[in-house]
């Protein structure tokens, strides 16, 4: 990825030069070469995101990503790759290009489609950012349980507090996507406590707890659906016909944008993911398409397995957290003091795993959320730049009054 700067500089220098047939500079040949580099960089970046093979596997490659697929660290690398691809896309499409090309086929059709996908991507970025906020709340609940269960000796009071936190966590995870994100309110509101409660107070507290999770959202229409946004983004996405070289970078960027948004929606809690498509068109005949297909197939397989049972998202740390939380709730339900040594060792292993998940979330969720916001602002800026070019085209085509 270190060659991005030289790639962007080369495009800028080339397209600011006055090409002449006498000097042998053919603008079309230069454009093809730039496009070839762009495709190679996209292929390289997404190939690096493929999960590492098992040691000794003949297909094992140092280029593969050692981060677990769909983990926080993996998504941070995915968004880094997107930002780099987006910068190169603008260089290939915008720098030094005659604005009049945007009013001619195929760009006159493809650019408006890309702008429309960008608007939908902005909505998804907002949804994902708030979904990350919800996951951060889950992490705080899990951390309460870890703190309680790490106490020595472990008594009934600590186990009750841990179970209360874990029950609240699992209840939130089990809420329907649409329900859990359709309410309004302040994220900072804390409507639950881990002290002793009477029966009536506990029931009231439970109702407020459910309400607090529904408040971890942003103002959005109840009919808004992340799955439908992805479906709309994938419509009209078709590979350009042979010879349409100006269309290819737009198609590549549209496909990359769709894949990144789809992966985020599959992993991070978002409103209404029911029916999230596991299939959309990806080109098999090009190298960059092969890398995306490899990632898409693995993620789609995970989504199909989880969707049948209901899922709080495919984020690797959330999956681990949910599994360990369920095990620890079962332990709490049957807890007797004093614990047997074997049981204490078994619980300690589970608590250590939950603590590890909490550490990874503590370290990675805020930077991930910042990256999602950076992607949002990049898309906004790029969309504005394209609209400026289209505005120039409109002024050029307007008749001059005499």
């Amino acid at each position: 990825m270190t060659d991005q700067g030289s790639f962007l500089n080369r495009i800028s220098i080339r397209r600011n030069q006055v090409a002449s047939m006498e000097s042998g500079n053919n603008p079309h040949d230069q454009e093809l070469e730039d496009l070839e580099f762009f495709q190679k960089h996209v292929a390289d970046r997404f190939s690096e995101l493929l999960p590492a093979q098992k040691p000794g596997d003949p297909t094992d490659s140092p280029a593969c990503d050692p981060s677990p697929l769909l983990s926080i660290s993996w998504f941070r690398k995915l968004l880094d790759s997107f930002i780099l691809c987006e910068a190169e896309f603008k260089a290939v499409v915008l720098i030094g290009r005659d604005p009049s090309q945007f009013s001619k086929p195929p760009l006159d059709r493809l650019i408006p489609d890309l702008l429309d996908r960008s608007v939908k991507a902005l909505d998804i970025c907002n949804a994902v950012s708030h979904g990350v906020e919800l996951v951060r709340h889950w992490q705080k609940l899990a951390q309460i349980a870890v703190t309680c269960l790490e106490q020595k000796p472990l008594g009934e009071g600590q186990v009750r507090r841990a179970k209360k936190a874990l029950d609240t966590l699992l209840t939130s995870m089990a809420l329907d996507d649409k329900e859990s994100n359709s309410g309004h309110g302040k994220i900072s509101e804390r409507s639950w406590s881990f002290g002793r409660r009477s029966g009536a107070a506990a029931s009231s507290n439970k109702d407020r707890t459910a309400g607090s999770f529904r408040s971890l959202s942003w103002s959005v229409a109840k009919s808004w659906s992340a799955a439908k946004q992805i479906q709309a983004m994938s419509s009209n996405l078709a590979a350009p016909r042979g010879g349409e070289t100006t269309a290819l970078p737009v198609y590549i960027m549209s496909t990359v944008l769709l894949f990144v948004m789809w992966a985020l929606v599959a992993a991070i809690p978002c409103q209404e993911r029911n029916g999230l498509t596991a299939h959309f068109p990806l080109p098999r005949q090009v190298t960059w398409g092969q890398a995306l297909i490899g990632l898409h197939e693995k993620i789609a397989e995970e989504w199909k397995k989880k969707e049948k049972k209901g899922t709080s998202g495919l984020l690797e740390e959330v999956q681990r957290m949910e599994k360990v939380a369920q095990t620890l709730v079962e332990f709490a339900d049957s807890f007797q003091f004093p614990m047997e040594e074997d049981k204490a060792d078994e619980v300690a292993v589970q608590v250590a795993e939950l603590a590890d998940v909490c550490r990874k979330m503590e370290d990675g969720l805020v930077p991930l959320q910042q990256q999602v916001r950076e992607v949002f602002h990049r898309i906004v800026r790029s969309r504005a730049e394209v609209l400026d070019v289209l505005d120039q085209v409109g002024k050029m085509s307007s008749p001059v009054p005499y």
Side-chain angles (χ1 to χ4, degrees), residues 55-256:
D57 192 304
T59 60
D60 188 25
S61 168
C64 291
D65 186 8
S67 302
L69 184 68
L70 299 171
S71 64
I72 294 171
S73 59
W74 184 87
F75 271 102
R76 292 189 62 191
K77 293 175 183 177
L78 174 69
L79 295 183
D80 279 340
S81 296
F82 173 82
I83 289 171
L84 292 171
C85 290
E86 196 267 349
E88 291 189 4
F89 163 74
K90 286 197 299 182
V92 170
V93 173
L94 294 180
I95 293 180
R97 185 179 295 277
D98 181 0
S100 65
Q101 291 187 25
F102 287 83
S103 63
K104 302 174 183 177
L107 292 183
D108 64 336
R109 172 179 53 84
L110 295 176
I111 292 297
D113 285 348
L114 178 60
L115 293 177
D116 184 60
R117 288 189 185 94
S118 297
V119 172
K120 293 177 173 60
L122 294 177
D123 285 342
I124 291 173
C125 285
N126 270 329
V128 169
S129 180
H130 288 277
V132 173
E133 194 68 35
L134 177 58
V135 176
R136 290 179 64 195
H137 196 76
W138 292 346
Q139 182 259 323
K140 292 174 184 176
L141 289 169
Q143 187 60 58
I144 291 172
V146 168
T147 301
C148 292
L149 296 175
E150 284 180 337
Q151 299 298 313
K152 304 293 182 183
L154 185 61
E156 291 183 3
Q158 290 93 347
V159 173
R160 278 197 302 270
R161 284 170 59 84
K163 183 178 184 300
K164 188 174 183 66
L166 294 174
D167 281 341
T168 305
L169 167 63
L170 293 173
T171 298
S172 174
M173 287 183 168
L175 287 175
D176 176 76
D177 284 343
K178 188 172 184 178
E179 179 186 2
S180 65
N181 288 282
S182 62
H184 307 286
K186 294 182 179 179
I187 290 174
S188 60
E189 179 181 352
R190 181 183 179 188
S191 60
W192 41 262
S193 172
F194 291 94
R196 291 179 178 270
R197 299 286 182 187
S198 65
S203 175
S204 175
N205 187 57
K206 181 178 180 181
D207 293 338
R208 291 199 306 274
T209 298
S212 72
F213 288 118
R214 285 192 291 270
S215 75
L216 294 175
S217 67
W218 77 113
S219 296
V220 65
K222 291 183 179 181
S223 60
W224 190 89
S225 164
K228 289 180 180 178
Q229 293 291 96
I230 294 296
Q231 184 179 7
M233 288 180 68
S234 65
S235 64
N236 299 324
L237 184 61
R241 295 186 294 270
E244 291 184 339
T245 55
T246 55
L248 188 54
V250 180
Y251 171 66
I252 293 173
M253 198 62 223
S254 294
T255 304
V256 168

Side-chain angles (χ1 to χ4, degrees), residues 321-392:
M321 175 180 283
E322 185 175 18
K323 183 178 179 181
V324 176
Q326 290 169 345
T327 301
L328 290 175
V329 166
E330 292 174 2
F331 153 73
D333 286 337
S334 60
F335 174 76
Q336 289 184 342
F337 183 84
M339 275 196 302
E340 297 179 358
E341 185 176 346
D342 290 347
K343 189 65 175 177
D345 292 341
E346 180 183 332
V347 170
V349 171
Q350 297 292 323
V351 173
E353 181 173 357
L354 189 57
D356 180 63
V357 171
C358 287
R359 280 192 296 271
K360 289 182 176 178
M361 287 185 170
E362 182 71 26
D363 294 339
L365 284 176
V366 171
L368 176 62
Q369 192 175 44
Q370 291 171 342
Q371 280 179 295
V372 172
R373 290 170 179 167
E374 173 64 17
V375 167
F376 178 95
H377 291 298
R378 290 289 187 109
I379 294 173
V380 168
R381 287 197 296 270
S382 296
R383 193 171 184 277
E385 290 173 25
V386 173
L387 288 173
D388 284 343
V389 174
L390 295 180
D391 186 53
Q392 293 178 37

